[in-house]
Amino acid sequence: MHVPERCDYLKLRDVTKTFPGQTVPAVSNLSFSINYGEILALLGPSGCGKTTTLRLIAGFEHHHEGQICLAGRTVSSPVYSIPPEKRNVGIVFQDYALFPHLNVWQNVRFSFNSRSRKHDDTIKTILSLVGLYDLRNRYPHELSGGQQQRLALARALAPRPNILLLDEPFSNLDADLREQMRIEVKNILRATETTTVFVTHDQEEAFAFADKVGVLQEGKLKQFDTPEKIYHTPTTRFIADFVGEADFIPGTIVQPGVVETDLGLFPSYSHVPEGARVEVMIRPDDVKIRPGADETNGEIVQRTFRGSINSYMVKLDGGPVLHSDQPSTLLYDAGTRVRVQLEVEHVVVFPRTKRDTDRSHSYTPDVELSLTGTRQVV
Ligand code: ATP
């Protein structure tokens, strides 16, 4: 039996696709790889090329540059393309595309293209795995949204595909069910060691579900990393903004790897030269606020209750506005003076754009050089 390499199980190299009549490629020079059993989320705003990438992997679209390898063989190149039905790819569409006139069992059996009973054991196993064996005689309209999704998954997984492709798989479900299904589906994919690529524009979903995340912007892969690295060390301002909440305050690189801001001096991830003016990314979970402190440096402008947290909007005396996530039980009124501090080990900085340079920003406190992550006022 042919055992494919576990490393680089799916590999795209310099894949470019331009649709007929278009001048701008839908995807451009796309290169990435994932290992056997990994789950990849392709994340990005509408029109960035997520679905096109999925369709190229499935073989529904052809590319004129680059190469796609799957399970140890080249499935497409400019001169060669294995048709979709020969790639052994499982697909779950956004609307599940179940056959309404077939019951649960028959829907799964359909994926084998055969009425033979030789697949009965496999169908029974997969329906048991997704918790639908007892409902095997029901028709799709007799199932809940979550059950329909599990049926679509079972149908795609039953023939043991080389790879599973999911197109916005949770978008039809309400928020509670979506979270539950994310966990259930992830457990099923783990149990079956299914290599998976799914597309989403929902960052929370990508983080909760995937081992790796590829962020696309205008057809280009901007970052390919673990969810944690994408969140904490985004490589561009676009990603910082798109992924999670972020505020940006002005700063200056005062020595290599050290940025000075209104909130103090911080070690920074950057190769920006000394003297450069930058934007410093601040996540709301890094911002601590202390009302009633002796030396305040900001004022609460607004509180938004979000269930498990209160999101405070705080205006620094120097001008910029930051958001601070606090426990839901900590209630402060708008107008409360607070001491704002950053609790971070490193900050991420980006070169300042013209728009930010234009913004007036005059507050420059006296600071002494300290790399403790909190500001030292002298
Ligand atoms: P969404 O989140 O809205 O589904 P997406 O990231 O999946 O967007 P794609 O569907 O991959 O984006 O589209 C990428 C670009 O290619 C878009 O500009 C789109 O208009 C264009 N495009 C997609 N399919 C075609 C087609 N068949 N013909 C011409 N242009 C296309």
Side-chain angles (χ1 to χ4, degrees):
M1 192 179 112
H2 168 65
V3 181
E5 287 284 329
R6 295 178 80 89
C7 287
D8 294 347
Y9 183 79
L10 169 71
K11 186 170 186 172
L12 274 71
R13 215 175 57 205
D14 293 327
V15 172
T16 298
K17 164 76 184 173
T18 307
F19 284 102
Q22 304 292 311
T23 48
V24 180
V27 295
S28 175
N29 286 98
L30 220 51
S31 296
F32 63 81
S33 61
I34 53 171
N35 297 336
Y36 179 79
E38 279 190 319
I39 301 174
L40 165 68
L42 293 174
L43 177 68
S46 184
C48 70
K50 305 181 294 291
T51 304
T52 302
T53 308
L54 213 63
R55 290 175 60 82
L56 286 165
I57 296 168
F60 297 143
E61 302 289 353
H62 303 291
H63 51 98
H64 306 292
E65 287 175 46
Q67 196 178 28
I68 300 178
C69 301
L70 176 61
R73 62 179 180 160
T74 301
V75 291
S76 61
S77 74
V79 292
Y80 174 76
S81 181
I82 295 179
E85 64 279 10
K86 299 247 168 76
R87 293 189 187 193
N88 191 17
V89 167
I91 302 177
V92 177
F93 295 101
Q94 207 168 346
D95 60 359
Y96 313 143
L98 299 170
F99 299 113
H101 60 294
L102 300 181
N103 67 22
V104 166
W105 182 277
Q106 292 161 339
N107 258 283
V108 178
R109 192 176 63 192
F110 188 87
S111 61
F112 289 106
N113 268 336
S114 145
R115 288 182 154 262
S116 140
R117 300 191 64 101
K118 69 178 177 187
H119 301 297
D120 282 7
D121 285 348
T122 310
I123 299 172
K124 185 174 176 186
T125 304
I126 196 78
L127 282 180
S128 303
L129 186 71
V130 301
L132 289 179
Y133 182 67
D134 291 345
L135 306 181
R136 61 191 177 282
N137 293 319
R138 289 210 193 162
Y139 287 84
H141 73 273
E142 297 172 315
L143 301 175
S144 70
Q147 289 164 343
Q148 288 181 24
Q149 189 188 49
R150 278 186 270 143
L151 174 54
L153 189 66
R155 197 178 58 179
L157 290 179
R160 300 285 306 158
N162 282 331
I163 194 163
L164 181 69
L165 306 177
L166 306 172
D167 190 355
E168 303 263 5
F170 306 106
S171 59
N172 279 341
L173 306 174
D174 63 42
D176 270 356
L177 188 55
R178 200 179 308 159
E179 196 166 334
Q180 183 194 329
M181 289 311 296
R182 265 185 219 151
I183 296 167
E184 284 186 20
V185 172
K186 187 169 179 176
N187 289 341
I188 292 167
L189 298 181
R190 289 280 189 249
T192 50
E193 285 197 316
T194 305
T195 312
T196 304
V197 179
F198 82 104
V199 306
T200 180
H201 54 258
D202 180 339
Q203 156 250 318
E204 204 181 307
E205 189 161 290
F207 284 3
F209 198 73
D211 301 304
K212 298 271 172 57
V213 177
V215 185
L216 289 163
Q217 183 190 12
E218 294 173 357
K220 299 194 179 73
L221 188 64
K222 294 294 180 177
Q223 190 168 359
F224 187 88
D225 234 319
T226 60
E228 290 80 4
K229 284 200 174 149
I230 300 261
Y231 183 77
H232 291 296
T233 52
T235 52
T236 68
R237 158 101 198 222
F238 164 79
I239 298 171
D241 242 344
F242 186 74
V243 170
E245 284 183 44
D247 294 304
F248 298 88
I249 61 171
T252 305
I253 302 295
V254 289
Q255 66 181 58
V258 181
V259 61
E260 180 188 329
T261 72
D262 281 7
L263 295 172
L265 293 161
F266 300 96
S268 75
Y269 291 118
S270 86
H271 301 290
V272 183
E274 211 171 316
R277 284 149 63 80
V278 293
E279 288 184 284
V280 181
M281 179 190 82
I282 313 286
R283 298 284 193 203
D285 38 317
D286 294 331
V287 179
K288 305 300 163 209
I289 51 175
R290 203 150 46 91
D294 288 343
E295 284 186 70
T296 59
N297 57 353
E299 188 172 304
I300 291 175
V301 180
Q302 193 177 318
R303 175 178 74 92
T304 306
F305 179 59
R306 293 198 179 156
S308 59
I309 57 157
N310 276 307
S311 170
Y312 285 98
M313 189 192 285
V314 185
K315 187 172 187 306
L316 296 177
D317 293 342
V321 170
L322 292 181
H323 289 80
S324 171
D325 287 349
Q326 297 297 317
S328 63
T329 47
L330 286 186
L331 299 178
Y332 308 126
D333 292 328
T336 304
R337 295 285 307 164
V338 290
R339 173 93 185 139
V340 181
Q341 280 186 316
L342 292 190
E343 285 192 5
V344 288
E345 285 179 7
H346 293 85
V347 289
V348 175
V349 303
F350 302 105
R352 214 171 309 171
T353 60
K354 176 144 192 337
R355 180 170 53 85
D356 298 294
T357 317
D358 289 346
R359 231 182 266 154
S360 72
H361 175 72
S362 54
Y363 178 68
T364 339
D366 293 324
V367 290
E368 76 181 17
L369 192 62
S370 156
L371 300 184
T372 58
T374 51
R375 181 183 171 203
Q376 308 285 305
V377 178
V378 292

